[in-house]
Amino acid sequence: VSVRRAAAVNAARLSGVATRALGRGGGTALPGLVATTLDPGVIADLAAQLVNGVTVVTGTNGKTTTCRILADLLRAAGYRPLRNQSGSNLSRGLASTLIRETGLLGNLAPDDKRIGLFEVDEAALPQVLREVKPARLTLLNLFRDQLDRYGEVATVSSLWKQAIRDLPEVTRLVANADDPLVVDVAMEHGGETVYFGLGSGAKDEEPDYARDVKTCPKCGGEIAYSAIILGHLGHYHCSRCDFRRPEPRVAAISVERHGLDGSNFDLVLEGEIVPVRVPLPGTYNVYNAVAAAATAWSMGVSGATIRDGLARTTPAFGRMERVMVDGREVYLALAKNPAGLNQVVRTLKGLSPSLHVLVLLNDLTADGRDVSWIWDADVEILQGHLESAVFGGTRGFDMALRFKYAGFERAGSEWPVVSSLEDALRVAIAGVPDGHPLFVIPTYTAMLQFRELLTREGHTQPYWDQ
Ligand SMILES: [Zn+2]
């Protein structure tokens, strides 16, 4: 087995070097594919060599940012987090990550500070749990994602339930109390669950109508909300049975939002109250921060360390990340499903009365081929705030139509749909007056292509270097 392991790991490493040398992206998935093909037990064995265990984070939205924040908290606590890269969240991506840490014999070099921190695709969760046997599992949320990719939330929910039932009791579950679908899943766990949530005052001013949950997951009765915070996340109870939001042990209360500068809130850690600042915009980032804080706290990280780590955190790749293009501020805000797009438009609305946007809609496999989800997002709330818009991507015309039906029209002519990304960026920037930012709203593959364009033009570093 050890000869096989060493051969698999070294072949994998070589394939990563080769893809990078050929300029074919970050070489993030191929090494894992090579290694798991040559040696199917490689992930389980290498993960078991992590002395501080593995934390797995999953959910439809916020995985990358939550892992990024959690990595900051763990570093502040003296750990060295070993993270998979954004987008490499299937088991071959995890294998690639582990292999980078191995020596020539195919084992991890000893390191008592190293800790595994893996973001995992919702649909890949059951397989990953079987392989890595995490010490901690954090469940963020369950929204409807691209339809043709995973099917409806009910399918993912039943996959998760089976996986949670198979978890050993010692696995610490950290779960979002505000998401009835997550709570329904978490109740399948035989061991301890640490719930996190937001205070009722954190609710968005604009109600979000793209709710995925209208009935009780236990009995099918009507779910009543005393506070809707974001999508179907909030304070709820079933009108028929005793299913209700569990009281969270870790919570964000008195949330104050300060536009792009982020939010301030009081972090409740089971009785201890720590005032914190998170320099990331939007209510969804308050959720990401609280999820990361709850996970760190469940591992014994102190309130003061969590406070310091949160203050130092920075946006994840494409999540309201700022780049300068020809002296102009350009923000990238990934939106890959209705809930994500709703959060982006809400955040933008709170930032400026005159917004300039470039919306890039792709329908490649990683985005989901079906783009009908754009009709479930309420872009209408930008009414009175949208100054200019340019559309691009493989389905730019669909998005332009969506905005047209939402009532946005430029006097006299249509807003432009530009097929080449280079030209779309140029046209968009030309429409932005001096001193105003441009907000780019891409789907997943559009974001990768857009980042590639920025890198080519010398505005950012390639993503695998970050
Ligand atoms: Zn019920």
Side-chain angles (χ1 to χ4, degrees), residues 216-222 238-243:
C216 171
K218 291 289 176 214
C219 77
E222 197 190 330
C238 175
S239 53
R240 198 192 289 164
C241 73
D242 59 1
F243 182 74

Side-chain angles (χ1 to χ4, degrees), residues 1 13 22 40 68 79 87 89 100 118 130 143 155 186 202 228 233 255 374 426 449 459-460:
V1 173
R13 202 185 278 116
L22 291 168
R68 193 178 175 104
Y79 291 103
N89 55 13
R100 277 201 305 276
F118 298 150
R130 279 194 299 274
F143 286 104
T155 313
I228 292 176
L233 311 185
V255 178
I374 63 176
R426 243 154 246 136
Q449 293 166 352
H459 304 298
T460 61

